[in-house]
Amino acid sequence: MSNVSRQQYRDAVEKMLADYRAAGPIETKQRKYRSVLIGHGWCAEVHRLAEVVLHLIDRGNRHETLILLRTMVETTLSLHWLSQKGDAGALGVLAEGGRLNRAAAEDMKKAFSVPQELLDAIKGESVEKTDESEIFRKFQAQCDEVDPKRELYSVYRYLCGYAHPSWTGASAFIEWTTEPPSLRSEPKEGGAAVVEATVAMCLVWAGRAYDEMINGKPRKQLLRSVAKELGLRAALPLIN
């Protein structure tokens, strides 16, 4: 993987994006298969964010892509977790979503005039706790099921330093080679050096996770081929 250039990663990302856009209608295993419906949205989000990352790189905003990479990594891992958990995982996602919406609605009622129909709709959402909803509530718990060594979670934590106000993000704009340290108007590259590689990983793994959920696994051959070219693992490990 260390011998793969940025341009090779970029070419692979563009190939996967073109293939994803060109894909025809997707036939799910079951017409109302909940995990497939959720997985479709997450997979689409990963690919759309990848396109935005390329636009930002071309505009000279490589540093800002790190914020989007965090979401891509998180969504990719959650999609893989969902593909392994199936309908039980989907119910957990829906239940956790309902819990968050109810909590938000209660807070909004205290400060805003929230339409009653919106409150009624939120109250009607499922909030039943399950083992999967408790795992989905904490991203680290999802990672632990997929990767007990927490290697993937360490990438996510590193990217959080750019997605949240932190010393990591601020230090990119400080030049330490001067005395005293000077302020930079443009960020140092730092972690942004791995942008293309991380995007490629997310597209391979998110694509494979979703591909396993639908009939015929239509993108399996291309994604495995790209992973081999880049020296990447063809898919994330199965959950025991």
Side-chain angles (χ1 to χ4, degrees):
M1 186 172 142
S2 59
N3 296 324
V4 180
S5 69
R6 274 188 185 173
Q7 189 58 49
Q8 287 174 297
Y9 282 122
R10 170 79 183 239
D11 292 343
V13 166
E14 291 181 342
K15 180 195 295 188
M16 288 186 282
L17 288 174
D19 179 76
Y20 182 78
R21 286 192 295 264
I26 295 171
E27 183 178 338
T28 60
K29 292 179 180 177
Q30 298 179 36
R31 182 65 61 182
K32 296 182 178 179
Y33 192 47
R34 283 167 290 208
S35 62
V36 173
L37 301 180
I38 297 170
H40 165 72
W42 289 354
C43 191
E45 185 173 62
V46 170
H47 284 77
R48 287 179 65 85
L49 287 174
E51 291 183 318
V52 174
V53 166
L54 296 187
H55 289 314
L56 288 172
I57 289 174
D58 293 342
R59 286 175 53 89
N61 295 105
R62 179 174 290 272
H63 171 81
E64 288 72 20
T65 65
L66 296 169
I67 299 172
L68 300 182
L69 288 188
R70 172 190 175 276
T71 300
M72 288 185 68
V73 169
E74 182 177 9
T75 305
T76 295
L77 288 168
S78 290
L79 175 53
H80 178 74
W81 176 85
L82 178 68
S83 74
Q84 297 288 298
K85 292 292 186 174
D87 205 44
L91 289 174
V93 173
L94 293 171
E96 177 59 7
R99 185 191 71 81
L100 291 173
N101 286 341
R102 280 184 175 238
E106 289 299 319
D107 290 340
M108 286 190 294
K109 278 198 308 183
K110 299 172 184 177
F112 306 101
S113 298
V114 182
Q116 188 59 45
E117 57 267 26
L118 174 59
L119 295 175
D120 291 341
I122 291 175
K123 289 179 180 178
E125 294 179 352
S126 171
V127 292
E128 182 180 354
K129 284 186 179 181
T130 65
D131 290 343
E132 284 73 24
S133 70
E134 289 299 296
I135 292 173
F136 184 70
R137 181 179 300 186
K138 298 179 180 179
F139 180 65
Q140 183 176 317
Q142 295 173 55
C143 291
D144 286 347
E145 286 206 309
V146 175
D147 175 30
K149 293 183 179 180
R150 295 191 177 178
E151 294 173 355
L152 297 171
Y153 185 69
S154 67
V155 175
Y156 167 80
R157 288 188 68 180
Y158 173 73
L159 292 171
C160 283
Y162 294 97
H164 302 298
S166 72
W167 172 244
T168 303
S171 64
F173 294 87
I174 301 172
E175 183 56 63
W176 296 104
T177 59
T178 63
E179 182 58 44
S182 56
L183 305 180
R184 299 172 58 100
S185 58
E186 296 291 327
K188 291 174 287 188
E189 188 164 281
V194 298
V195 172
E196 288 89 347
T198 307
V199 172
M201 291 178 191
C202 288
L203 290 184
V204 169
W205 295 338
R208 282 299 310 279
Y210 185 57
D211 204 51
E212 290 293 321
M213 301 166 71
I214 58 179
N215 284 335
K217 301 179 177 61
R219 303 186 67 223
K220 182 176 182 178
Q221 185 173 349
L222 179 133
L223 293 172
R224 290 185 68 176
S225 173
V226 171
K228 185 175 181 180
E229 289 174 9
L230 300 178
L232 300 175
R233 176 185 294 186
L236 291 175
L238 301 178
I239 294 175
N240 294 326

